[in-house]
Amino acid sequence: MFKSLLTGAALGLSALTMALPAHAEYPERSIQAVIPWGAGGATDNVMRSLTPYVEKELGGKFILNNRPGGTAVIGSTFVKTQRPDGYTVLLGAENPQLYKVLKLADFDYADFYPVSIIGQNVVVIAANADAPFNNMAELMAAAKANPDTLRMGSTGAGGLPSTVSAMINAVDELKVREVTFGGDGPGITALMGNHIDFMPLSLAAARELVRSGKLKALAVFATEETPELPGVEPITKSLPAIAEYLPWGPFWGAFVHKDTPDDVKQKLVDAYAKAIANPEFQGFLKNFGAQSLNLSGAEAEEFLKRWQSVTTWSMYKAKAIEMSPDSVGIAQP
């Protein structure tokens, strides 16, 4: 009889289990996507252009949320402290790779999982359309003639402009005043209003303004001209020694907490890979002046390590940072 009771109980439990609804697969609710920069900048534009394609591939909805501040520390920290369930995604740029040497935060992208390194952009040194200098050599001469007088737009320590400035100072001398903004969008507005004199910007953010004559391109941060800005000289024409740090450029990526379940990570990786490969988004990147990378896994991690190594060691050489990168585990390139 006891055996019959056990058998009946087992059958009942089996029937109950079969009657329960299956657990919904990820994503079963909206995903919060944090952009740690303000609206209107290059990172914001790339992420808002890409997200609809990701939503289609993933079968879920992203709620885009700008959380600027602290060279993206505020938004990045927010994502890092959320539950590792895949429902909070960081849509960021290169900045966290510099946090440790700049003492801005005690983490970098090694504390996240790189869902995708989406693409990379060329840097352009841009000036107001009426600026008295027309190329990098003239800008350098003006800065040397009047040290700490020219106003350079910045997005804070570890932002693209200050990093480019440090790399220039690693091979020459560029003494200027840094005027800090919450992103390249406000910086561009100030540049067009002649409130600052020049600003290193991603080509994605500056190209159309240069083409329309609203800004003037002094140089591209490369060893040769870029097809998107024909006639604009590479920075190596004025600063040949900077070639040792090139190619270099800002990048964009999607990241989640490193402890996110593997199956969720894989779904995000697959969705982003397909979305980035979409011909329409590839066309957007090309028109934006950006290079598609579409890296994940080990390839993404290797890219992040190399970028961090080249950048931090050039900054150390330029005395832009006091902390030796190897003291926080960053090997020389």
Side-chain angles (χ1 to χ4, degrees), residues 92-151:
E94 67 280 352
N95 319 92
Q97 292 302 80
L98 306 177
Y99 286 169
K100 289 183 178 180
V101 295
L102 292 169
K103 301 179 182 178
L104 294 176
D106 62 357
F107 65 86
D108 58 21
Y109 278 136
D111 293 279
F112 294 82
Y113 177 78
V115 170
S116 177
I117 304 301
I118 298 162
Q120 188 170 30
N121 206 213
V122 174
V123 173
V124 57
I125 312 298
N128 181 276
D130 298 324
F133 24 81
N134 297 299
N135 53 51
M136 197 64 197
E138 292 179 6
L139 171 64
M140 297 293 293
K144 289 176 181 178
N146 299 283
D148 300 314
T149 300
L150 291 181
R151 302 158 299 175

Side-chain angles (χ1 to χ4, degrees), residues 34-50 66 91-95 118 184 202 204-205 250-253 284 288:
V34 176
I35 302 171
W37 292 102
T43 303
D44 185 68
N45 286 335
V46 168
M47 299 310 179
R48 290 183 183 277
S49 298
L50 175 61
N66 293 88
L91 303 180
E94 67 280 352
N95 319 92
I118 298 162
D184 49 8
S202 68
F251 63 86
W252 308 289
F284 164 82
F288 215 45

